[in-house]
Amino acid sequence: MVERSTDASLKAGRDAIARHAWEDAFDLLSAADASETLEAGDLERLGEAAFWIGRVPDCIRFRERSAAEYTKAGNCRGAARVALALVVNHFWQRSFAVGAGWFAKAQRLLEEEAESPEHGELANLRTHMLIAAGDLDGALKSARNAFEIGRRFGDPDLQAHGLSKQGSILIRKGEVAEGMALIDESMASAVGGELGPVATAEIYCTTISACHRIGDYRRAAEWTEAAEECAVRPGMADYPGDCRAHRVGILRMHGTWTEAESEAEEAARVEGGESSHVGMALYEVGEIRLRRGELIAAEEVFLRAEEMGKAPQPGLSLLRLAQGKVEAASSSIAGALAEESWDRLARARLLPAAVEIAIAAGDVPAARVAADELQGIAESYGTAAFEAACRCAQGAILLAEGDATEAAARLRNGCRLWKEVEAPYEVARARIALAEALRARGDVDGSATEARAALSAFERLGTLPDVQRASQLLEDTEKASSARAAPNRRIVRTFMFTDIVRSTNLVEAIGDDAWADLLRWHDQALRSQFTAHGGEEVDHAGDGFFVAFADVESGIACAVAIQRALADHRQTHGFSLPVRIGLHASEATIQGSGYQGQGVHRAARIGALANGGEILVSQETLAAAAAVFDTSPPRSVSFKGISEPAVVVGVLWQ
């Protein structure tokens, strides 16, 4: 009877493994193991089940028993395969000597064996170790070897690992386009369901890690969305701690801080998760708390991250600066840079903080050295995030040197690039620096506009120190503006008019209550984009907005963002309001809190000409933009009450 029960548990446990029902598999195989000693293959399966449910000590114990049974049976490939899994287990626990021992054992077991997929797994792990040692050429050779073995044996997991690792190494070597192409290819296999659960999760982690290192947060978001759609398959959602830890940094950059903290807590909660990845997640939480002004809590989390093997930089250095300990901050960031002497991508994350700290210490030459190095890295890698950080660092240095005009130009460029990255906190930081530069050169109105936009973003994010800084700057700027104000002042602005097309018909179709809810959503969606792009809401009448922008690029970028947000909502929910938008840049007269002049009327008329989902811009306005936008062919139009015709183009935003 006992034997029959054991056989049933074994069969059911194996079936559960095949279905990736890890909890069931662990319980069933554990019950069978309690009745009699399992053979090597079932012990290996039991170790795998323990891994997926986060019971790493049990996983290690069962895998050690499995390796011993395989060795006893003379199955060197099986013993090597389990030994390589144990290498990962021990490296995760930062038991590097133990992990190295199992790697050496696996290597010896395979020495006399004919080439097999296990040799590919050995090459894959060797690639990891060579990357950690800084031997990128050796790592690239090893990754290519893993891919070739996978291809010879028709092993999709090995092939995907080989491509992914090659891509990651090429990125480190500065060959970003070639590297990301390989990573994208491997990730397509992962989300396409071609790989096993472990390979699926590890490819995703490599992808998000690579995106995070080069600041390609848009690509990370796209792959994360694709991964979430297939997360019903094990691999993406179930991998212990690892994938969540990588996502935390992406969420933090995108300003979704509450979700980032939840992900970090979940990554840290999983029993036996890789300590370095838990440290990564905790570090990102420290960054969030630092920005909120929670300095004691931030320091506590940074130190916990360090205990988990994650160097808490540049956060800890910036924390010291926030505490007023400038000398300690300088020493801390210098030490962090010294530890990352060869890794340019790691240095790129540290250099903006080095610039900020050096300026605070009054050491502008040192800030210039750091900014020059950052510029070299930005030119080599060509990603928007690196370029944005570089422009903002240069702007801060120029402002410290007294060149407010050139500082404003660099900072405006940095702000635009951070918008492309979709990093709201960094956009707001660039805006407040731009506001300071504009005020220094005498443009108090432009300064107030930027400070107001930054303040709104800081308030939404809950960053108290930044809110205080922006509020003070705005108050000082508005006082200066009032002191210098004269009646009927003239100023150049880019004016935007938005309007819902056929709103009367919509009200009749859905009723007053539903219309009120929909209009409330519309107003909130558009206002969030006005804030993100530095728009000044001048008037809101019915279902339309009148908004002013300090520059043409911000106005057009805001219009594009609005139409894309509406299109996304339409795709996700099946419906959104058709909005038309018109823009025109012109000099106008300031009267009270509004603007008057023919340019305002021209912008309103251009908006009225647009169709739902269309953005119309006067050709002269588009010509003044520093950025390049795709447009429809120009056409000439006339306006009632305005003698001069205008040439308008449609901005192609899809």
Side-chain angles (χ1 to χ4, degrees):
M1 181 69 71
V2 172
E3 183 178 346
R4 187 178 303 168
S5 175
T6 301
D7 289 343
S9 294
L10 271 176
K11 184 179 184 305
R14 291 166 184 167
D15 290 342
I17 288 285
R19 291 183 286 107
H20 302 153
W22 309 117
E23 290 276 4
D24 291 345
F26 182 82
D27 291 341
L28 289 164
L29 292 175
S30 294
D33 186 51
S35 299
E36 64 177 56
T37 301
L38 298 183
E39 64 179 26
D42 287 320
L43 286 168
E44 185 179 1
R45 295 182 186 96
L46 185 49
E48 182 183 14
F51 168 80
W52 281 106
I53 62 175
R55 299 183 63 159
V56 175
D58 287 330
C59 171
I60 291 173
R61 178 165 56 85
F62 290 126
R63 282 176 171 170
E64 287 174 344
R65 287 175 56 195
S66 174
E69 290 298 319
Y70 274 129
T71 302
K72 189 185 301 181
N75 187 340
C76 292
R77 284 176 51 189
R81 182 176 59 250
V82 179
L84 291 170
L86 283 163
V87 173
V88 176
N89 286 143
H90 287 294
F91 279 2
W92 273 27
Q93 300 301 304
R94 301 183 62 77
S95 299
F96 298 116
V98 179
W102 281 106
F103 183 84
K105 182 177 180 64
Q107 191 169 237
R108 181 181 55 76
L109 285 165
L110 293 174
E111 280 178 355
E112 304 298 327
E113 294 291 312
E115 185 179 71
S116 65
E118 284 75 18
H119 287 83
E121 293 175 19
L122 183 73
N124 183 47
L125 251 181
R126 183 181 289 113
T127 302
H128 275 289
M129 297 167 74
L130 290 169
I131 292 173
D135 183 359
L136 297 185
D137 291 334
L140 188 58
K141 181 179 179 180
S142 182
R144 286 171 177 161
N145 185 34
F147 172 77
E148 290 301 331
I149 294 174
R151 185 159 61 178
R152 284 194 288 273
F153 285 91
D155 188 322
D157 288 5
L158 270 179
Q159 292 178 67
H161 273 305
L163 288 176
S164 180
K165 294 295 188 303
Q166 288 178 63
S168 180
I169 295 162
L170 288 172
I171 288 169
R172 289 171 183 260
K173 291 168 71 70
E175 301 173 38
V176 177
E178 297 88 340
M180 286 312 309
L182 294 176
I183 285 178
D184 287 343
E185 182 181 348
S186 66
M187 192 61 192
S189 297
V191 300
E194 301 173 18
L195 311 180
V198 172
T200 297
E202 289 182 350
I203 296 301
Y204 173 73
C205 289
T206 299
T207 300
I208 301 305
S209 179
C211 291
H212 193 271
R213 285 176 66 82
I214 63 173
D216 195 343
Y217 301 105
R218 184 183 296 275
R219 179 185 254 106
E222 289 179 9
W223 278 124
T224 296
E225 183 178 350
E228 287 173 350
E229 290 177 0
C230 72
V232 291
R233 294 193 304 273
M236 296 298 186
D238 299 337
Y239 204 60
D242 202 18
C243 297
R244 289 190 177 92
H246 283 304
R247 282 201 294 266
V248 174
I250 307 300
L251 293 169
R252 193 259 297 171
M253 284 299 298
H254 283 308
T256 51
W257 292 354
T258 300
E259 187 178 351
E261 288 179 300
S262 296
E263 286 283 337
E265 289 172 5
E266 186 63 21
R269 182 192 64 79
V270 177
E271 178 188 352
E274 183 184 3
S275 60
S276 63
H277 281 85
V278 174
M280 286 168 50
L282 290 172
Y283 173 80
E284 297 295 345
V285 173
E287 284 267 16
I288 293 170
R289 292 180 179 178
L290 174 61
R291 293 171 180 187
R292 287 176 175 159
E294 302 166 2
L295 302 188
I296 295 175
E299 182 165 13
E300 175 187 334
V301 176
F302 283 146
L303 294 177
R304 284 177 58 202
E306 189 170 33
E307 291 173 1
M308 292 288 193
K310 171 67 175 80
Q313 296 292 354
L316 190 59
S317 297
L318 293 172
L319 173 66
R320 298 292 176 240
L321 183 64
Q323 292 170 331
K325 303 174 182 178
V326 179
E327 186 175 339
S330 300
S331 176
S332 177
I333 198 66
L337 284 165
E339 289 179 7
E340 300 290 355
S341 57
W342 66 272
D343 190 338
R344 299 181 78 203
L345 289 174
R347 291 179 69 82
R349 294 190 66 202
L350 301 172
L351 290 167
V355 171
E356 183 178 348
I357 292 167
I359 291 174
D363 192 351
V364 177
R368 176 67 68 182
V369 169
D372 288 346
E373 183 183 353
L374 182 59
Q375 181 179 6
I377 296 173
E379 290 171 353
S380 294
Y381 288 90
T383 62
F386 286 173
E387 291 176 9
C390 178
R391 299 295 173 268
C392 290
Q394 292 170 338
I397 292 169
L398 288 163
L399 186 58
E401 292 174 338
D403 189 349
T405 299
E406 185 59 28
R410 302 291 176 92
L411 289 164
R412 194 180 297 282
N413 194 10
C415 184
R416 176 182 61 80
L417 289 164
W418 278 127
K419 288 177 189 174
E420 290 181 14
V421 176
E422 298 179 358
Y425 179 75
E426 281 67 24
V427 170
R429 287 262 296 178
R431 281 196 183 284
I432 201 66
L434 175 58
E436 291 171 340
L438 291 172
R439 184 181 176 194
R441 78 175 191 189
D443 183 359
V444 291
D445 293 305
S447 176
T449 297
E450 297 296 338
R452 195 173 293 114
L455 175 60
S456 177
F458 289 142
E459 288 176 335
R460 188 170 62 255
L461 291 166
T463 57
L464 183 58
D466 295 304
V467 167
Q468 293 171 341
R469 176 187 173 191
S471 297
Q472 188 61 56
L473 177 61
L474 183 59
E475 182 181 342
D476 294 344
T477 302
E478 289 177 339
K479 286 179 181 177
S481 178
S482 299
R484 296 172 53 186
N488 301 327
R489 284 185 301 133
R490 306 282 290 176
I491 193 168
V492 175
R493 286 286 182 267
T494 298
F495 299 112
M496 170 198 285
F497 282 87
T498 77
D499 185 40
I500 300 175
V501 178
R502 299 186 301 275
S503 58
T504 302
N505 294 341
L506 287 170
V507 176
E508 292 177 355
I510 67 175
D512 290 340
D513 291 342
W515 171 252
D517 291 338
L518 194 57
L519 191 60
R520 192 177 304 111
W521 172 84
H522 160 271
D523 292 353
Q524 182 179 359
L526 266 64
R527 281 181 168 133
S528 69
Q529 296 299 338
F530 301 155
T531 299
H533 293 84
E536 174 192 356
E537 184 181 327
V538 182
D539 191 22
H540 175 42
D543 51 38
F545 284 96
F546 171 25
V547 187
F549 296 86
D551 58 86
V552 175
E553 295 83 4
S554 295
I556 297 178
C558 181
V560 169
I562 289 170
Q563 296 293 20
R564 286 178 177 168
L566 294 172
D568 288 345
H569 190 272
R570 188 175 302 115
Q571 184 175 11
T572 304
H573 300 281
F575 178 78
S576 71
L577 295 167
V579 173
R580 58 188 173 195
I581 303 175
L583 298 107
H584 178 64
S586 173
E587 187 179 63
T589 301
I590 297 179
Q591 288 195 345
S593 60
Y595 298 88
Q596 290 189 356
Q598 189 180 77
V600 175
H601 295 299
R602 189 172 288 255
R605 302 295 173 81
I606 291 172
L609 286 174
N611 296 314
E614 189 176 21
I615 301 170
L616 283 186
V617 185
S618 62
Q619 192 173 49
E620 62 191 278
T621 296
L622 191 70
V628 177
F629 298 91
D630 293 332
T631 64
S632 63
R635 68 179 191 266
S636 180
V637 297
S638 298
F639 304 120
K640 184 178 179 180
I642 299 177
S643 58
E644 295 182 7
V647 178
V648 298
V649 296
V651 175
L652 304 179
W653 55 267
Q654 289 90 345

